Structure formats: structure tokens, C-alpha cells
Amino acid sequence: DPTGTPLYERVHAILTSKDKIPYLSKTGELYYNFWTDADNQRGVLRRTTLESYEAGAPEWEEVLSIDKLCAEEGESWVYKGSTTLDEGPGVPPTRTL
């Protein structure tokens, strides 16, 4: 039984940690992340610049809060991702579903 061993305690701490690394996706010149935590249980879509992200304490701009949307509309919404219209090279993205 490995319970109580240093290795077990270390692995257990990693697996139960609330710390997360934000996964980014780039659209245009901005970087987007869908985040869930205790305050955003259904999630929030947010964005930042690469410079802000690389600084170590990103300044996130909220794009869409699923929790707020549910409260405002009295519905139970679930975020399943987004798709951005690609109009070709040199054309900045302006439409997202």
C-alpha cells in the first residue's frame, strides 16, 4: 500500500491541485481561452494579447460568460466551442459562431 509515502503524496497533490494552465488558441492577433473555476462553473470565454500572456499575469478580457448568460436568460446553456470564418490569407477574422 503506497498511501502515505512521499511519492504517493506528491502524485496525489498534483492530481488534486486546483492549479491549471490556460490552453490558448489564436484568432487574429488575440489569444483565446475557455476557463472554468469555482466562480465560473459553466465557463467563461476570454482573450488576451501574447505580450500579456507571456508576462506571466495575463490581463483577460471577458468575451462571453456562460454563467452570466444562463442567469440573464433563465436557460441552461453549455459551451461547445466556436468556429471562426476563414476568408483567406491576409483577411482578418471578423465572424465567429
Side-chain angles (χ1 to χ4, degrees):
D1 181 18
T3 306
T5 65
L7 178 59
Y8 175 87
E9 296 301 325
R10 184 172 165 215
V11 170
H12 184 265
I14 291 169
L15 293 175
T16 58
S17 173
K18 299 288 185 202
D19 295 336
K20 299 189 293 182
I21 299 172
Y23 172 77
L24 300 177
S25 63
K26 184 177 183 203
T27 301
E29 296 301 315
L30 297 172
Y31 291 80
Y32 290 78
N33 167 260
F34 187 76
W35 190 258
T36 58
D37 58 20
D39 296 329
N40 302 289
Q41 293 184 357
R42 291 191 179 262
V44 59
L45 180 63
R46 58 195 190 161
R47 66 185 176 188
T48 191
T49 63
L50 181 59
E51 295 77 21
S52 178
Y53 182 77
E54 288 179 335
E59 294 181 27
W60 294 104
E61 175 188 355
E62 185 177 288
V63 177
L64 175 65
S65 168
I66 304 302
D67 298 278
K68 289 179 186 175
L69 184 64
C70 290
E72 290 171 6
E73 296 190 352
E75 296 287 340
S76 180
W77 294 107
V78 177
Y79 183 77
K80 292 288 188 174
S82 62
T83 302
T84 302
L85 176 63
D86 182 358
E87 296 186 76
V91 180
T94 58
R95 307 271 191 267
T96 300
L97 294 174

